[in-house]
Amino acid sequence: HHSLAKLGLPVFGHPGGGFYMWCELPPHIDDKHLSKIGAAQSILLAPGSAFNPDATPRPPAMRVNIAYAGDARFARFMRENDATFARPK
């Protein structure tokens, strides 16, 4: 959870166990596209839109495996693709 917070990615829902957390993405991000470019770099993301079969308008989001949330490659990928709310220092 703290690794996502460092990236400025708000986690929604209370993490109460399990292997995944959900976080919101900036509004300009296409979660499906982000997932595709991540897969090409061996970074597997689950786009939130895949879990929204009725296509109800919602902010972009993704499901993150907690085992990889602290991985430096994940953080670098998210920053390089402007997929965080964190502002550069």
Side-chain angles (χ1 to χ4, degrees), residues 30-49:
D30 177 331
D31 59 357
K32 288 181 188 174
H33 180 70
L34 186 68
S35 178
K36 285 179 186 177
I37 58 176
Q41 298 178 40
S42 299
I43 296 173
L44 304 178
L45 307 172
S49 57

Side-chain angles (χ1 to χ4, degrees), residues 27-83:
H28 67 276
I29 294 295
D30 177 331
D31 59 357
K32 288 181 188 174
H33 180 70
L34 186 68
S35 178
K36 285 179 186 177
I37 58 176
Q41 298 178 40
S42 299
I43 296 173
L44 304 178
L45 307 172
S49 57
F51 300 89
N52 185 12
D54 61 358
T56 305
R58 297 187 186 192
M62 69 179 173
R63 187 178 77 168
V64 180
N65 184 313
I66 59 169
Y68 298 106
D71 188 307
R73 293 178 313 135
F74 170 73
R76 185 173 48 253
F77 171 80
M78 296 299 285
R79 285 189 194 102
E80 287 173 353
N81 287 283
D82 194 28

Side-chain angles (χ1 to χ4, degrees), residues 9-25:
L9 294 171
V11 173
F12 53 91
H14 182 68
F19 298 107
Y20 301 100
M21 291 186 291
W22 286 92
C23 63
E24 185 178 341
L25 295 168

